[in-house]
Amino acid sequence: MALVAVAIVLALAPRAGAQEPAGDDGPAQGEPERTITGTLRYEDDSGEDVFVEGVDVTVESSDGSFSETGTSDADGRFEIAVPEPGTYTVTLDEEGLPEDVGLRNERPTLTIQLREGRTSAPALFPLGFGEDAGRNVSTSFDRFLRLTVQGIRFGLIIAMCAIGLSLIFGTTRLTNFAHGEMVTFGALMAFFFNVTLGWHMLLAAPAAILVAVAAGSGFDRFFWRPLRNRGTGLIAMLVISIGASIFLRFLFNFQFGGFNRSYRQYTLQEPLEIGPITIVPRDLIGMGLSIVVLVAVAVFLQRTRMGKAMRAVADNRDLAESSGIDVDRVINFVWAAGAGLAALGGILQGLSQTVTWQMGFQLLLLMFAGVTLGGLGTAYGALVGSMVVGVVVEVSTLWIPSEFKTTTALVILIAILLVRPQGILGQAERVG
């Protein structure tokens, strides 16, 4: 543990001291206020500018921790204060527009990047009148399709992160609460290589994954294995993992700072429109990459010698050891592979949203929900459960405020476990 912590400090040390303290409640004393601004106006038949008053505009942070709604004034201007630099989604309420006035580009939701050193960022909604108003009042079905695609993307990232968590539980019976920090670690290492050292993202991402693999292997070799060899109980190890999670999370906060930050490449992209679905290229490529990696993991578990050994250890450790399988080697491989997959998931999430010091912790509950829902200890169960969780969380915003969308994962978890206690792909066990 100490070796891993020292490695993290040394890796991120060049940025220590360069970070500004950040708070969630707004800018620190003496700092200028940061805002998202815009003006709603259109030209009428006579060519005169008409300003639109009383239209609601909602700004939401990429991680869902901040949401604020403002209303355009008599000059058509709206100005909404945001707590820190980062990526925000700005949504215009089309129902508040006057009759015969609509969006020319049919895009009521924009993604805005407020960069460090800037105090404001513009949100431009081009309005048209009459025939120029390409008004597109989305139907519930269109919104359902868009949210489903977002849910699939989110579910694939959760699955990528959760497979390692599930395999670690299957081979060691340890519920590892520090797994979320491996997600953050991967994203931060990619940020270090990409932004601090100036490497291109295509080089920074593989390098970060390799560092995470080494860290995961070392974490097991020098920390968890000695605890297992001493006969430490699972409850004690669970509490230790919680302590490790807290320590690493605030170490990341100390080194990285509290701001949301973005990678150098692939941050601002023009979205692709496929029917009613709008998606940026990086998310589309990320989904494809996630599917390829998850299929590769499935083939690895089924066809390779190490994959079969992993499944044997997860099924019956004592029998696997008596059959000649090096259990410690298998467990170490699981920790390394799980850390690498978590790092890849963190990088994809950082590309899609922003990089933060607690991004893995924010995904941890959803990872646990996906693993439990799919069936504890099964890699395929983690995949299925995570996909269900991702889609349900995003689609639920059709009916509930986005601030409460995470709770729907717990509701669906409880509902399915009441019917099938072992999870979707778990095996029923006889008790007593």
Side-chain angles (χ1 to χ4, degrees):
M1 176 64 179
L3 294 176
V4 175
V6 170
I8 296 170
V9 173
L10 291 177
L12 297 180
R15 295 193 61 82
Q19 310 299 335
E20 302 175 17
D24 294 332
D25 295 327
Q29 185 176 3
E31 292 186 358
E33 185 180 49
R34 304 180 179 91
T35 58
I36 303 293
T37 64
T39 301
L40 302 180
R41 62 185 174 188
Y42 64 92
E43 289 186 0
D44 59 15
D45 290 335
S46 62
E48 296 291 333
D49 282 341
V50 179
F51 297 96
V52 183
E53 180 182 5
V55 179
D56 290 337
V57 178
T58 301
V59 176
E60 183 177 358
S61 62
S62 57
D63 59 4
S65 61
F66 170 83
S67 181
E68 188 71 32
T69 300
T71 304
S72 59
D73 58 20
D75 294 325
R77 181 176 175 79
F78 60 87
E79 186 175 55
I80 302 171
V82 295
E84 59 188 7
T87 302
Y88 295 89
T89 57
V90 185
T91 304
L92 175 74
D93 181 11
E94 294 183 274
E95 299 298 328
L97 295 175
E99 189 175 355
D100 294 331
V101 175
L103 290 163
R104 294 201 302 268
N105 60 1
E106 302 182 354
R107 289 176 55 195
T109 300
L110 304 176
T111 300
I112 303 297
Q113 181 77 21
L114 179 57
R115 298 189 179 276
E116 293 185 48
R118 301 286 298 274
T119 58
S120 65
L124 305 177
F125 292 101
L127 300 181
F129 176 76
E131 294 181 356
D132 292 334
R135 187 166 187 175
N136 178 26
V137 180
S138 299
T139 65
S140 296
F141 182 71
D142 291 343
R143 294 183 59 202
F144 175 80
L145 288 179
R146 287 197 293 267
L147 291 173
T148 300
V149 172
Q150 294 177 19
I152 293 173
R153 179 202 63 80
F154 191 42
L156 287 170
I157 291 177
I158 296 174
M160 189 91 64
C161 302
I163 285 180
L165 182 65
S166 181
L167 289 175
I168 289 171
F169 178 86
T171 53
T172 65
R173 297 303 168 191
L174 169 65
T175 305
N176 180 26
F177 278 85
H179 192 72
E181 274 49 65
M182 293 310 302
V183 177
T184 308
F185 181 72
L188 294 187
M189 289 308 303
F191 183 90
F192 171 73
F193 290 128
N194 178 243
V195 177
T196 305
L197 299 185
W199 296 6
H200 192 279
M201 196 63 198
L202 295 179
L203 294 176
I209 293 172
L210 290 177
V211 172
V213 168
S217 177
F219 204 22
D220 173 68
R221 177 65 182 84
F222 300 105
F223 186 71
W224 292 114
R225 186 185 297 180
L227 290 176
R228 290 196 302 270
N229 293 339
R230 289 174 177 271
T232 307
L234 290 176
I235 298 299
M237 293 178 73
L238 182 149
V239 174
I240 291 171
S241 76
I242 295 175
S245 171
I246 296 172
F247 171 77
L248 290 174
R249 187 159 69 251
F250 284 95
L251 177 63
F252 295 153
N253 185 25
F254 175 76
Q255 291 293 333
F256 184 72
F259 289 113
N260 294 356
R261 305 179 189 277
S262 300
Y263 296 119
R264 286 187 181 274
Q265 288 84 36
Y266 313 120
T267 301
L268 299 177
Q269 293 183 324
E270 189 69 22
L272 303 175
E273 295 185 4
I274 307 173
I277 299 171
T278 302
I279 185 170
V280 291
R282 64 171 179 270
D283 287 344
L284 193 61
I285 295 174
M287 291 169 65
L289 179 62
S290 300
I291 293 172
V292 170
V293 171
L294 293 173
V295 170
V297 170
V299 172
F300 178 86
L301 290 174
Q302 291 292 338
R303 301 293 180 86
T304 66
R305 186 174 181 179
M306 177 59 76
K308 293 176 181 178
M310 290 163 59
R311 291 190 289 123
V313 173
D315 185 60
N316 191 318
R317 173 174 176 165
D318 294 334
L319 181 60
E321 193 167 19
S322 65
S323 301
I325 295 175
D326 188 345
V327 173
D328 283 337
R329 178 170 173 264
V330 170
I331 292 176
N332 188 262
F333 182 87
V334 167
W335 276 92
L341 290 171
L344 177 57
I347 293 169
L348 293 177
Q349 180 70 356
L351 282 170
S352 178
Q353 306 290 336
T354 53
V355 182
T356 70
W357 63 279
Q358 56 179 350
M359 57 189 299
F361 178 70
Q362 292 169 344
L363 291 177
L364 184 64
L365 181 61
L366 297 179
M367 284 190 279
F368 275 123
V371 169
T372 306
L373 184 61
L376 287 170
T378 63
Y380 303 127
L383 171 59
V384 174
S386 298
M387 293 300 297
V388 172
V389 168
V391 172
V392 168
V393 165
E394 293 296 334
V395 173
S396 65
T397 57
L398 280 172
W399 304 285
I400 65 174
S402 59
E403 292 86 352
F404 300 103
K405 64 182 182 181
T406 304
T407 60
T408 57
L410 302 181
V411 173
I412 196 68
L413 173 65
I414 294 171
I416 291 181
L417 292 184
L418 285 174
V419 178
R420 189 176 173 82
Q422 68 271 29
I424 297 174
L425 297 185
Q427 296 181 353
E429 297 182 2
R430 184 173 181 178
V431 180

